[in-house]
């Protein structure tokens, strides 16, 4: 039986891997710049989408808080929030342009070249299999010959080359298919996963630090918690230091560590923006995908915005670190009881006192909450 060594086209068997600048997705803007401004574009569109819901009282039955709570409980006006959000995006775009100054388009090679090189690497890596079998006292060549009638691909793996155990530098059809899978699916999946791990880890621990350290909370993070009843376009309302070190830096690190391309950054940044908007939108829809993926949705984060939930639910994208370190709020009935009590207080009284935003106010609210458990 002949070996299954389907060749790449003759022109790409040993292709010259010349790199050329990648054409931009849009002719009037580079991919690098588009990757920087796209999160802001997504933010504006998604924020406006939910603003229509708020303005026309659409889907009111899906709101976490009654609309009147916003006026009575929040300690920042929508106009003040809007100005801080504009500052956030100006900082994000400015820093992005600065970091990308002088960077040209991505250099890409011919697809056949990438497939050939990856398939050849896989082919050479397979030589490790017969070496391992030999160390175990197994004759890899004989085993390969014995199994070639059953499975040619399995025989090739055992033999580290052709079914007859010979070595050559021609990738097989199996190796070519595996190379395409690695290039188009496996590698991007690993990059996105790594980027998510970096961002989620960075935000969890820096966010938690902002609550543990009284000075950081009082001077920096308390600004974000002036929004007890959050709304979509206020998702990134925060102190400029938090904008820089918690948000922007996390994505810079993720992009560098995961080596995301400009186009991958568009996808990652776009979905991350949608997730942030969803967390602060104030609505719980049955079709919300983030609720079903890992339970980290609008309710999860809204609980953190309440005075009695400030020490819980620090994560933004997953629940891994909260679950691992015991900071996930698990008492659903207790949460609903506290929500109802706040609604009753808000209906009977005017706006809540500003002290609930201070460190002492936070500790007092948490202590009172524990008494009710």
């Amino acid at each position: 039986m002949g070996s299954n060594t389907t060749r790449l086209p003759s022109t790409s068997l040993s292709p010259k891997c010349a790199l050329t600048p990648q054409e931009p997705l849009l002719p009037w803007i580079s991919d690098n710049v588009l990757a920087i401004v796209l999160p802001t574009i997504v933010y504006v569109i998604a924020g406006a989408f939910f603003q229509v819901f708020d303005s026309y009282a659409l889907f009111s039955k899906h709101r976490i808080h009654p609309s009147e709570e916003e006026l009575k409980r929040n300690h920042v006006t929508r106009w003040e929030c809007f100005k801080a959000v504009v500052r956030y995006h100006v900082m994000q775009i400015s820093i992005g342009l600065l970091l990308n100054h002088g960077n040209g388009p991505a250099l890409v090679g011919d697809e056949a070249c990438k497939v050939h090189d990856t398939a050849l690497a896989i082919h050479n890596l397979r030589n490790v299999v017969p070496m391992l079998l030999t160390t175990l006292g197994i004759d890899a060549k004989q085993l390969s010959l014995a199994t070639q009638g059953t499975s040619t691909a399995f025989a090739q793996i055992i033999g580290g080359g052709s079914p007859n155990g010979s070595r050559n530098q021609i990738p097989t059809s199996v190796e070519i298919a595996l190379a395409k899978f690695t290039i188009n699916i496996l590698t991007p999946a690993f990059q996105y996963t790594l980027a998510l791990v970096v961002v989620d880890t960075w935000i969890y621990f820096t966010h938690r630090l902002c609550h543990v350290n009284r000075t950081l909370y009082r001077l920096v993070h308390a600004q974000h918690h002036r929004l007890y009843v959050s709304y979509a376009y206020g998702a990134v309302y925060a102190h400029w230091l938090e904008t820089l070190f918690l948000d922007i830096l996390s994505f810079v690190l993720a992009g560098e560590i995961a080596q995301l391309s400009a186009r991958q950054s568009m996808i990652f940044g776009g979905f991350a923006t949608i997730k942030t908007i969803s967390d602060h939108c104030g609505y719980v829809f049955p079709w919300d995908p983030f609720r079903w993926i890992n339970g980290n949705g609008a309710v999860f984060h809204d609980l953190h915005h309440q005075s009695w939930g400030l020490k819980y639910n620090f994560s933004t994208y997953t629940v891994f670190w909260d679950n691992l370190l015991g900071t996930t709020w698990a008492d659903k009935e207790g949460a609903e009881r506290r929500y109802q009590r706040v609604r009753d207080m808000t209906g009977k009284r005017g706006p809540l006192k500003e002290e609930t935003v201070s460190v002492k106010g936070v500790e007092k609210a948490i202590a009172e909450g524990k008494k009710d458990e």
Side-chain angles (χ1 to χ4, degrees):
M1 179 182 292
S3 63
N4 185 10
T5 54
T6 303
R7 296 171 179 263
L8 290 167
S10 59
T11 56
S12 60
L13 181 60
S14 298
K16 296 180 180 179
C17 297
L19 299 178
T20 57
Q22 188 177 41
E23 291 294 324
L25 287 173
L26 301 175
W28 43 273
I29 186 172
S30 71
D31 285 351
N32 290 333
V33 174
L34 183 57
I36 294 168
V37 301
L38 186 61
T40 297
I41 296 172
V42 172
Y43 193 97
V44 170
I45 295 173
F49 183 78
F50 282 104
Q51 182 60 33
V52 171
F53 288 2
D54 293 346
S55 299
Y56 293 95
L58 303 176
F59 301 104
S60 296
K61 68 177 182 179
H62 295 292
R63 286 184 65 105
I64 298 175
H65 302 272
S67 57
E68 57 269 16
E69 276 194 42
E70 178 190 328
L71 297 176
K72 294 185 177 182
R73 298 188 62 205
N74 286 348
H75 298 292
V76 59
T77 66
R78 285 207 171 215
W79 173 241
E80 291 173 322
C81 177
F82 177 79
K83 290 188 293 184
V85 170
V86 170
R87 180 189 64 200
Y88 175 100
H89 288 284
V90 169
M91 287 181 61
Q92 177 179 272
I93 292 174
S94 299
I95 293 173
L97 293 175
L98 180 63
L99 293 176
N100 278 275
H101 179 68
N103 290 349
L107 298 177
V108 296
D110 184 72
E111 180 70 18
C113 173
K114 291 172 63 178
V115 171
H116 177 271
D117 285 352
T118 304
L120 191 58
I122 294 172
H123 180 88
N124 292 332
L125 185 62
R126 273 193 6 209
N127 294 332
V128 174
V129 176
M131 291 173 58
L132 292 175
L133 292 175
T134 300
T135 59
L136 296 174
I138 301 174
D139 190 331
K141 183 177 181 179
Q142 290 299 321
L143 183 59
S144 176
L145 292 172
T147 57
Q148 64 176 308
T150 304
S151 173
T152 302
F154 184 65
Q156 291 173 341
I157 293 173
I158 295 174
S162 301
N164 59 12
S166 65
R167 303 288 190 269
N168 60 64
Q169 294 298 306
I170 304 175
T172 66
S173 59
V174 173
E175 291 163 343
I176 293 170
L178 185 56
K180 291 179 179 179
F181 176 79
T182 301
I183 293 170
N184 298 319
I185 298 177
L186 197 60
T187 298
F190 174 77
Q191 288 177 286
Y192 287 128
T193 302
L194 179 58
L196 177 61
V197 168
V198 171
V199 170
D200 198 51
T201 301
W202 181 270
I203 290 181
Y204 175 86
F205 286 101
T206 54
H207 186 190
R208 187 173 179 177
L209 177 64
C210 286
H211 282 270
V212 172
N213 186 288
R214 295 188 176 191
T215 302
L216 278 176
Y217 184 85
R218 177 171 53 85
L219 298 179
V220 179
H221 192 55
Q223 179 173 334
H224 182 67
H225 281 278
R226 294 171 73 186
L227 283 176
Y228 283 93
V229 181
S230 61
Y231 40 85
Y233 80 73
V236 295
Y237 169 72
H239 192 280
W240 68 268
L241 281 174
E242 181 174 339
T243 296
L244 179 62
F245 290 103
L246 194 146
D247 289 338
I248 295 177
L249 185 55
S250 67
F251 282 89
V252 171
L253 289 173
E256 288 299 315
I257 293 174
Q259 287 295 289
L260 298 180
S261 67
R263 295 183 182 183
Q264 287 175 315
S265 295
M266 294 178 202
I267 297 172
F268 188 72
F271 275 107
T273 301
I274 293 173
K275 177 63 168 67
T276 301
I277 288 283
S278 175
D279 285 348
H280 295 85
C281 70
Y283 291 86
V284 180
F285 297 109
W287 59 82
D288 179 5
F290 299 113
R291 290 178 58 204
W292 302 109
I293 292 174
N294 62 9
N296 189 333
V299 172
F300 182 91
H301 191 71
D302 186 84
L303 189 148
H304 174 76
H305 271 261
Q306 309 312 305
S307 59
W308 40 267
L310 288 169
K311 298 293 185 180
Y312 301 90
N313 296 10
F314 297 108
S315 298
T316 300
Y317 299 104
T318 74
V319 294
F320 175 80
W321 288 112
D322 276 312
N323 287 346
L324 181 67
L325 300 179
T327 54
T328 300
W329 181 282
D331 184 6
K332 294 183 179 180
E333 292 183 0
E336 182 54 40
R337 187 168 62 249
R338 289 170 175 82
Y339 271 123
Q340 188 58 51
R341 185 175 64 181
V342 170
R343 294 188 188 107
D344 294 340
M345 291 171 59
T346 304
K348 293 177 181 178
R349 296 195 267 178
L352 300 183
K353 295 181 179 180
E354 182 71 20
E355 67 166 3
T356 53
V357 182
S358 68
V359 175
K360 290 184 178 179
V362 168
E363 292 175 342
K364 180 180 178 181
I366 293 172
E368 290 177 349
K370 288 183 177 179
K371 290 180 182 178
D372 294 336
E373 292 180 351

